[in-house]
Amino acid sequence: TSFYRISSSRMNDGRIMAGAQDNSTSYFDGFSWTTVIGGDGMDNVIDPNDPFTFIGMWQYGGMAKTFDGGFNFNYFNAAAENAEWTTPITLDYTTGLLYTGYENVYVSSDFGDTWNQISFFPAEAGGFYNPEVCALAVSNSNSQVIMAARRPRYEYNYMSKLFRTNDGGTNWQNITAGLPDSLYFTSIEISDDDDGIAWVTCAG
């Protein structure tokens, strides 16, 4: 099994979700593993207030939400946009807001039941193409700070880009300068001590 993403419950020890290439999403309830969502298992998140409520994902942004630990699911997409193969999802534990990225960044205040668009990134390749968001992070020390990366598309001569907002998504700045934008930005981590510092992992 090759895992794309794993997550754990912030408030309940031993609760884990893991999305695996070709091998679905699995959930560990503290005692045993159960396969809960088919397809390629992707990113996932567990409700910090209820370990039986969680969202798992499959390729290209498909989402499945359960309230009963994986016995029943609601299936949906957050937006009518293209999404990356491994679509990012992240939770702000301070506000309870949930974020995901398709071609733009979307936020949910009800753990995925409804979503609102908070970015309007420009089209690329002469307006022909809107690259998908491939990495996403929210600051643990300042909920207004969010960072999002868009994937490269070499066939359109489009390189990776990294965006940052300091006001919860009202305004976004392109902060790619100085980064190796010919590589694929795979994840972002914002420092807990200083939201002006962040790490970006790259593949390519």
Side-chain angles (χ1 to χ4, degrees):
T1 298
S2 177
F3 290 111
Y4 282 114
R5 299 286 187 270
I6 62 171
S7 61
S8 61
S9 172
R10 189 176 179 88
M11 302 301 292
N12 298 271
D13 290 345
R15 306 279 180 159
I16 302 169
M17 290 190 72
Q21 181 183 11
D22 295 331
N23 284 307
S24 309
T25 294
S26 297
Y27 176 65
F28 186 70
D29 63 5
F31 301 97
S32 61
W33 286 95
T34 304
T35 297
V36 290
I37 305 169
D40 288 82
M42 297 292 174
D43 212 345
N44 43 75
V45 62
I46 302 173
D47 188 328
N49 300 311
D50 180 5
F52 296 100
T53 297
F54 52 79
I55 293 174
M57 304 177 73
W58 62 93
Q59 60 268 39
Y60 300 123
M63 296 188 182
K65 179 179 178 178
T66 182
F67 298 95
D68 57 12
F71 291 100
N72 297 283
F73 282 93
N74 296 324
Y75 298 90
F76 57 92
N77 284 55
E81 291 183 341
N82 293 322
E84 180 57 302
W85 174 258
T86 306
T87 304
I89 190 169
T90 189
L91 180 64
D92 181 355
Y93 291 101
T94 301
T95 63
L97 295 176
L98 188 64
Y99 296 89
T100 191
Y102 281 57
E103 294 172 7
N104 285 282
V105 178
Y106 290 79
V107 64
S108 173
S109 60
D110 50 19
F111 203 74
D113 289 339
T114 59
W115 295 89
N116 294 304
Q117 184 175 341
I118 61 168
S119 77
F120 295 87
F121 297 140
E124 302 293 339
F128 174 73
Y129 183 71
N130 290 302
E132 299 88 346
V133 172
C134 56
L136 188 62
V138 58
S139 169
N140 289 321
S141 61
N142 183 353
S143 296
Q144 294 296 298
V145 175
I146 307 164
M147 297 178 67
R150 297 180 93 183
R151 62 158 299 168
R153 282 292 188 182
Y154 305 113
E155 65 270 34
Y156 302 132
N157 198 32
Y158 172 79
M159 300 297 105
S160 294
K161 288 186 179 176
L162 184 66
F163 295 89
R164 173 188 172 104
T165 177
N166 297 318
D167 52 19
T170 302
N171 298 284
W172 293 82
Q173 298 81 43
N174 183 342
I175 59 167
T176 315
L179 293 175
D181 62 354
S182 63
L183 299 179
Y184 190 114
F185 299 159
T186 55
S187 64
I188 307 165
E189 184 71 20
I190 302 171
S191 171
D192 285 344
D193 300 317
D194 182 352
D195 62 47
I197 298 174
W199 295 266
V200 181
T201 59
C202 304

